[in-house]
Amino acid sequence: MSHCACHNTDNREQVEAASRAALSEDILRAIEEARRDPEPGGRLISILHKVQGHFGYLGKEQMDAVAQLLQVPAAEVTGVATFYHFFRLKPGGRYVINICLGTACYVKGGAEVAEKFKEELGIDFGETSKDGMFTLECARCVGTCGLAPVIMINENVHAKVKPDEVPALLARYRDKARQEQA
Amino acid sequence: MSKNVMAAYEKLRAEAERVLTERSEASKIRIQVGSATCENASGAGEVHEEFRKLIEASGRKDIVLRRTGCTGRCSCEPIVGVIAPGRIPVKYEKVTREKVHDIFTLHVLGGAPVTKMMLDNGLHAVPEMELHLCAGERCGRDQSRRFDALLPEKLAAAGVDASKVRIVSAGCFGLCRSEQSGKVTHMLVRPDNVLYRLADEKDLQEVIEQHLKGGRPVDRLRLKEHTVSKRFFDMYGDVAFFNRQSRIALRNSGIVDPEDLYEYMQYKGFSPLARVLEKNDPQWVIDTVTRSKLRGRGGAGYPTGQKWALAARAAEKTRYIICNADEGDPGAFMDRSMLEGDPFGVVEGMIIGGFAIGAQRGFFYIRAEYPMAIRRIQNAIEQCRKHGLLGQNIFGSGFNFDLEIRLGAGAFVCGEETALIHSIEGRRGEPRIRPPYPTESGLWGKPTVINNVETLVNIPAVIYYGPEWFARLGSERSGGTKVFALAGKVLHTGLVEVPIGTTLRQIVFGIGGGVPGGKRLKAIQTGGPAGGCIPEKLLDTPVDFDTLSRVGAIMGSGGMIIMDEDDCMVDIAKFFLSFSQDESCGKCTPCREGTKRMLEILERITSGQGVPEDLTNLERLAQLIRKASLCGLGRNAPNPILSTLTHYRDEYVAHVTEKRCPAKKCAALVRYEINAEKCVGCSACARNCPVACISGEVRKPYRIDAARCVKCGRCFQVCKFGAVNRS
């Protein structure tokens, strides 16, 4: 590298531009706001929530961009992203199915519902179906224990789910996706 | 300065009153649909939409549609209330789009309530009048004033048509005052909504003659003050599930529109805050809360007043208050219900707490799994800012305070206060050693108070009704009520708020209706993964922080899961441990490694590989983890194991020595066989077997190849002839 022609090693502007390009407008606004906060790092988790909300997961490029713009070490961003269950580091399906395996759901047969989903979709927890339609996750209580067993598909909570209802439920979401595409 | 505060409050109150009068809802027919995560999961959204369409199509201007939070009657949701002027409110259960049409045409338009769809279908006809007698400890237990027994006779003697009056023995109205304690009985007359304080039969007679017969309320005996549960009893007092409760923390849930500040103000909202700011004396607030004996509702039960006093005493003047709304305990959902159903109540508690400790900023730490709670709190904060209840110079008092929301991201350990602080700081939610306690050095090193949602929602009530009243509601060492989230194998699932000191039996059987399907209650699990299982024989234990820890469980945040004979206690212990093990943050070794090893032992036991030494090893490990872990997660993780080992040791022994699971839950210890005499050869089992280990010919008995059987239990479920034996 002795022939390197660039004497000016300050590439801050380039890096910043690249980082901005990797994120969306509303995320950039949130970062701007955070930078005005007395403790900018305190907004890291809410910014990562925004990134996941926009991209569906936390990609390496986005995490690096957040680290750069927020002036937080990239290792710290990765550390936070991997610590919390809610953050996904791989792209998820169109619909994320969260099967509640809290206590009430467990005693009311949540595990059997989970088995049926795994069987129907041919995937395990944390995996996405081949068509990219569904990602299967297990949740730790979504707080609707009175209606156990419950599952959450994106933000919709489905109550008192029985294993035999699973195929119809999946078909309904496949239809929904088809309609939305059309 | 104090004059300013009251003037500002009065101005806002007058504005609220004006807006509400303009809506003139009281003279209209109100249809009220529950709106919360749970209600919507049961289809409340569709129901709301359907009513909207019907009202629009009818062209009627005297019908209004409202949203409220949830009342916590989960198994009957969605719940719809129809309130017509001068009539007793009617509630409908499990309303569907189809039922909406009947309710609308027959009841709303036709005036005839659809009794068969009513909540708890306890009524054959809606009475014209209802008399609710307080059945609290102090009011109703005095034998000399058994008004409920006297009433029918007295009504008949006065010539009141008894068929049109219903007498209800309600829970505690929460009206007790020391000077009258035990000397009076309170009675609510619906639908006039008049509350009486009766000292003797003469008073009762006067009410019957003048009010019930003559239609003129007796002013002499009438209570003029606003009472905490009156709104609630007015709406839900006829339902047994509700009228055995005392609603303080849940006073507004299911009553007010959670997105409307004016409605919150209608029920004395922000009047406690105005009073606090008018007095302008943080020490008075702290003393009041201390005297109320309010203890933290998040689990540990630390006296709230003391915690505030510690932070207020700190030398550092930059201070913070945090609302812990990271309700992580599986099986607890009361905080969600309050955040969704009474967000202004929580916010008001926060502002008062912030004032008491001298904080400038407050944070809501809400778990990301609760999107609706986040939206409602966000809305409450914005409305408060708009009306000068947050920000600079609140109510003209000179007190500056603002609130922000920070989201959790699914880490159970963040319920621990130091971990939660790290998470708000935007870091990994790992706990640290205490002391220093957060009240000394918390968020960004500044004094910080962390209170649970339920604790905060109680604060306005403590200020408004006084600490003595609150303290008297509970037990000797702990004031007020506790909300429990009743779930699992119980008839009525939902939120139950009872005075501290109520027995488990009253909660599970008296209010929850016991175990469905004629099954036997096996255990009551309280406190989530940090709690324990309480056996049937201890049902008469009063629920309090100290009594529950004495029987090996904890109060926790209030999750209460009922288990019946089909639940294997070893399996349940394994379930909780796998939770704690998975949620262990990994910072300290006893928790990280210890929970893993305990889980391995439990997996061995439930898969039939257990040896007798496993039980002693489990106990030894449990004690070690308890003593040596860094934070509450690790220190309490062994509780489910220790409590089940104490109370259900025979089940462990059966697994280990006889290789048998008494509840027939642990798959590896269960055997399936086909009873040749009962089998008709329908082939249903063979067709449903996922591993094709069942063979035979149609119309002849089938056989299961035990060597290939994966014990999924599908054959047992599908056999219509009871020919598959499980042993």
Side-chain angles (χ1 to χ4, degrees):
Chain A
M1 296 293 280
S2 56
H3 308 294
C4 180
C6 53
H7 300 289
N8 183 7
T9 53
D10 184 6
N11 60 350
R12 191 186 159 82
E13 272 173 31
Q14 274 161 275
V15 172
E16 185 151 338
S19 300
R20 295 184 74 88
L23 300 170
S24 72
E25 271 308 308
D26 62 320
I27 300 170
L28 291 172
R29 257 199 311 279
I31 293 176
E32 287 303 321
E33 210 178 292
R35 279 163 75 157
R36 285 195 296 272
D37 203 83
E39 310 285 349
R43 303 286 179 107
L44 175 59
I45 293 175
S46 60
I47 290 166
L48 291 182
H49 272 294
K50 280 202 158 58
V51 174
Q52 180 154 309
H54 185 88
F55 295 95
Y57 72 110
L58 305 179
K60 190 175 177 310
E61 194 189 348
Q62 284 83 31
M63 285 198 282
D64 284 348
V66 169
Q68 185 63 37
L69 295 175
L70 211 54
Q71 290 292 292
V72 170
E76 214 164 278
V77 176
T78 317
V80 167
T82 51
F83 183 83
Y84 295 97
H85 297 298
F86 200 82
F87 294 129
R88 234 188 337 274
L89 304 177
K90 283 187 290 187
R94 187 185 185 102
Y95 300 110
V96 178
I97 306 173
N98 260 299
I99 299 177
C100 181
L101 288 178
T103 323
C105 290
Y106 184 76
V107 301
K108 289 256 186 139
E112 284 85 48
V113 175
E115 279 312 309
K116 188 72 184 173
F117 269 105
K118 287 182 187 171
E119 189 186 310
E120 284 292 317
L121 295 170
I123 53 175
D124 208 341
F125 284 131
E127 295 177 355
T128 302
S129 61
K130 277 204 187 92
D131 56 1
M133 197 64 86
F134 299 104
T135 297
L136 204 57
E137 301 275 357
C138 71
R140 293 303 198 187
C141 195
V142 294
T144 47
C145 315
L147 306 168
V150 297
I151 63 157
M152 222 168 141
I153 302 186
N154 290 353
E155 276 198 8
N156 293 325
V157 179
H158 296 265
K160 295 179 184 168
V161 181
K162 292 184 192 72
D164 358 327
E165 294 168 2
V166 170
L169 199 59
L170 290 173
R172 219 158 77 209
Y173 276 90
R174 283 202 181 95
D175 283 349
K176 199 175 150 200
R178 224 168 284 138
Q179 277 166 13
E180 280 166 9
Q181 269 160 2
Chain B
M1 194 198 285
S2 60
K3 221 173 173 180
N4 289 347
V5 172
M6 268 349 236
Y9 166 71
E10 282 304 330
K11 188 167 160 254
L12 187 58
R13 201 188 55 80
E15 184 185 322
E17 208 171 278
R18 186 176 51 76
V19 172
L20 294 171
T21 317
E22 268 169 28
R23 288 188 207 155
S24 64
E25 286 190 355
S27 61
K28 295 176 178 167
I29 301 176
R30 282 163 286 167
I31 303 174
Q32 142 174 334
V33 182
S35 165
T37 306
C38 45
E39 293 270 11
N40 288 358
S42 310
E46 285 176 13
V47 167
H48 190 275
E49 179 57 17
E50 203 64 19
F51 271 119
R52 195 192 59 74
K53 281 189 207 152
L54 288 173
I55 294 172
E56 202 178 86
S58 75
R60 292 264 299 256
K61 295 281 175 263
D62 63 333
I63 303 171
V64 283
L65 184 59
R66 294 162 35 85
R67 275 182 207 275
T68 64
C70 91
T71 49
R73 185 69 171 85
C74 309
S75 38
C76 294
E77 286 173 351
I79 292 177
V80 168
V82 177
I83 312 157
R87 304 294 298 267
I88 289 173
V90 175
K91 282 83 52 190
Y92 293 104
E93 64 174 22
K94 297 179 190 163
V95 178
T96 56
R97 206 185 273 185
E98 291 71 43
K99 285 186 183 176
V100 166
H101 288 257
D102 285 355
I103 294 169
F104 194 77
T105 20
L106 299 172
H107 184 180
V108 179
L109 298 179
V114 194
T115 47
K116 65 171 194 279
M117 295 179 193
M118 273 161 47
L119 182 57
D120 279 354
N121 51 45
L123 298 181
H124 299 297
V126 181
E128 282 182 12
M129 195 176 266
E130 265 183 357
L131 306 176
H132 290 238
L133 288 153
C134 182
E137 285 291 333
R138 294 167 194 85
C139 256
R141 298 282 162 89
D142 188 345
Q143 290 300 318
S144 67
R145 274 192 324 277
R146 289 313 303 256
F147 290 163
D148 50 340
L150 285 173
L151 263 168
E153 198 184 309
K154 283 197 172 288
L155 289 173
V160 177
D161 185 352
S163 66
K164 289 181 178 159
V165 182
R166 193 164 159 251
I167 300 157
V168 183
S169 180
C172 178
F173 290 135
L175 292 165
C176 336
R177 289 213 197 140
S178 53
E179 72 272 19
Q180 290 145 336
S181 182
K183 301 196 186 88
V184 294
T185 293
H186 293 100
M187 183 171 84
L188 174 70
V189 179
R190 293 206 309 164
D192 299 351
N193 212 4
V194 177
L195 193 53
Y196 289 113
R197 177 173 283 153
L198 309 173
D200 48 30
E201 277 186 53
K202 218 173 93 247
D203 287 352
L204 182 67
Q205 192 63 38
E206 195 176 334
V207 170
I208 294 174
E209 288 293 336
Q210 194 183 317
H211 185 174
L212 308 191
K213 239 178 110 182
R216 282 173 297 122
V218 186
D219 274 338
R220 183 177 73 83
L221 300 168
R222 185 176 182 169
L223 258 85
K224 294 185 185 67
E225 65 255 43
H226 178 89
T227 54
V228 68
S229 303
K230 197 172 145 200
R231 297 292 321 172
F232 179 77
F233 279 106
D234 180 35
M235 183 69 200
Y236 298 103
D238 52 345
V239 179
F241 177 80
F242 291 125
N243 69 30
R244 292 180 187 138
Q245 304 189 27
S246 297
R247 294 249 170 164
I248 314 256
L250 293 170
R251 59 191 178 277
N252 288 326
S253 296
I255 311 246
V256 301
D257 180 339
E259 294 178 10
D260 192 338
L261 181 125
Y262 295 136
E263 271 206 24
Y264 176 70
M265 291 201 69
Q266 192 181 9
Y267 305 121
K268 303 295 167 193
F270 296 115
S271 133
L273 173 67
R275 186 144 165 233
V276 163
L277 295 179
E278 187 202 14
K279 268 202 178 307
N280 198 20
D281 180 1
Q283 194 54 45
W284 175 80
V285 182
I286 294 173
D287 288 344
T288 305
V289 174
T290 307
R291 287 212 317 266
S292 76
K293 297 184 189 169
L294 172 65
R295 292 174 68 175
R297 300 296 194 241
Y302 194 81
T304 307
Q306 264 181 46
K307 199 188 255 186
W308 288 8
L310 286 173
R313 215 178 287 150
E316 170 63 53
K317 297 294 173 212
T318 305
R319 297 171 194 155
Y320 301 107
I321 184 165
I322 297 172
C323 171
N324 183 351
D326 189 45
E327 190 172 48
D329 270 5
F333 53 95
M334 65 291 290
D335 290 353
R336 178 184 60 73
S337 172
M338 286 175 241
L339 294 166
E340 290 177 356
D342 190 15
F344 291 102
V346 193
V347 167
E348 186 175 3
M350 277 284 261
I351 308 175
I352 295 174
F355 174 78
I357 66 159
Q360 301 79 34
R361 276 170 92 187
F363 295 91
F364 271 96
Y365 186 76
I366 313 181
R367 61 195 300 237
E369 289 90 335
Y370 286 176
M372 183 181 266
I374 296 165
R375 277 199 300 275
R376 294 230 161 119
I377 290 291
Q378 185 64 47
N379 171 66
I381 292 175
E382 278 160 20
Q383 287 206 36
C384 284
R385 278 191 196 135
K386 209 173 98 189
H387 290 95
L389 292 158
L390 280 175
Q392 300 293 311
N393 197 16
I394 296 173
F395 272 154
S397 65
F399 173 54
N400 306 330
F401 183 74
D402 211 346
L403 287 172
E404 284 171 45
I405 296 180
R406 292 292 162 93
L407 301 187
F412 177 67
V413 69
C414 287
E416 202 280 340
E417 47 184 22
T418 58
L420 187 153
I421 286 172
H422 289 159
S423 185
I424 292 187
E425 289 171 351
R427 298 193 277 150
R428 290 163 74 92
E430 287 173 342
R432 64 159 171 79
I433 289 172
R434 298 180 304 179
Y437 286 92
T439 45
E440 198 184 312
S441 170
L443 192 59
W444 295 301
K446 309 292 184 201
T448 305
V449 160
I450 302 176
N451 288 135
N452 164 268
V453 175
E454 191 184 335
T455 313
L456 289 168
V457 96
N458 272 310
I459 297 291
V462 168
I463 302 283
Y464 190 85
Y465 298 101
E468 286 75 24
W469 161 82
F470 192 82
R472 213 172 25 250
L473 274 174
S475 69
E476 198 171 316
R477 294 191 51 203
S478 182
T481 55
K482 176 78 194 90
V483 184
F484 291 97
L486 206 53
K489 312 277 181 65
V490 62
L491 196 59
H492 308 307
T493 57
L495 294 178
V496 176
E497 180 172 359
V498 287
I500 288 179
T502 306
T503 64
L504 288 166
R505 188 186 298 281
Q506 275 169 291
I507 298 173
V508 178
F509 288 89
I511 298 171
V515 182
K519 298 223 164 140
R520 195 174 58 83
L521 177 122
K522 187 186 261 185
I524 300 170
Q525 207 281 340
T526 66
C533 294
I534 303 167
E536 195 189 9
K537 66 171 193 269
L538 293 174
L539 264 178
D540 290 308
T541 310
V543 284
D544 199 343
F545 293 95
D546 319 312
T547 49
L548 287 185
S549 44
R550 230 172 286 141
V551 298
I554 61 164
M555 179 89 110
S557 58
M560 194 177 271
I561 313 260
I562 311 305
M563 292 162 192
D564 69 7
E565 54 198 65
D566 294 339
D567 293 306
C568 166
M569 299 320 285
V570 185
D571 182 61
I572 291 296
K574 187 177 82 173
F575 166 80
F576 280 117
L577 199 68
S578 72
F579 181 93
S580 302
Q581 199 269 319
D582 197 36
E583 294 293 340
S584 169
C585 76
K587 185 170 179 174
C588 75
T589 319
C591 174
R592 184 185 64 237
E593 295 299 324
T595 52
K596 180 125 185 103
R597 300 299 158 236
M598 284 207 293
L599 184 61
E600 281 167 5
I601 296 178
L602 284 176
E603 266 163 4
R604 223 162 43 224
I605 294 176
T606 52
S607 63
Q609 315 289 313
V611 289
E613 300 84 79
D614 280 343
L615 300 191
T616 40
N617 282 342
L618 265 182
E619 269 166 343
R620 231 183 66 221
L621 261 172
Q623 295 299 351
L624 188 138
I625 296 168
R626 228 184 197 184
K627 281 187 203 138
S629 292
L630 173 64
C631 81
L633 191 154
R635 279 201 292 272
N636 291 312
N639 285 356
I641 295 179
L642 289 171
S643 75
T644 47
L645 265 174
T646 309
H647 299 303
Y648 306 91
R649 201 177 186 90
D650 51 330
E651 286 196 36
Y652 280 88
V653 172
H655 280 74
V656 172
T657 56
E658 299 165 40
K659 307 288 178 227
R660 184 174 66 84
C661 173
K664 296 176 183 130
K665 179 88 187 174
C666 299
L669 301 179
V670 174
R671 272 182 297 276
Y672 291 94
E673 276 163 340
I674 292 174
N675 181 340
E677 281 169 27
K678 283 191 182 166
C679 181
V680 297
C682 73
S683 84
C685 53
R687 280 183 282 118
N688 279 284
C689 179
V691 292
C693 73
I694 306 179
S695 54
E697 270 174 60
V698 180
R699 291 199 195 88
K700 283 183 186 158
Y702 277 65
R703 280 175 320 280
I704 298 175
D705 179 359
R708 285 193 293 141
C709 174
V710 292
K711 297 168 184 180
C712 67
R714 196 80 41 96
C715 51
F716 182 78
Q717 287 159 7
V718 297
C719 181
K720 291 195 181 78
F721 307 94
V724 179
N725 287 341
R726 188 169 65 168
S727 58

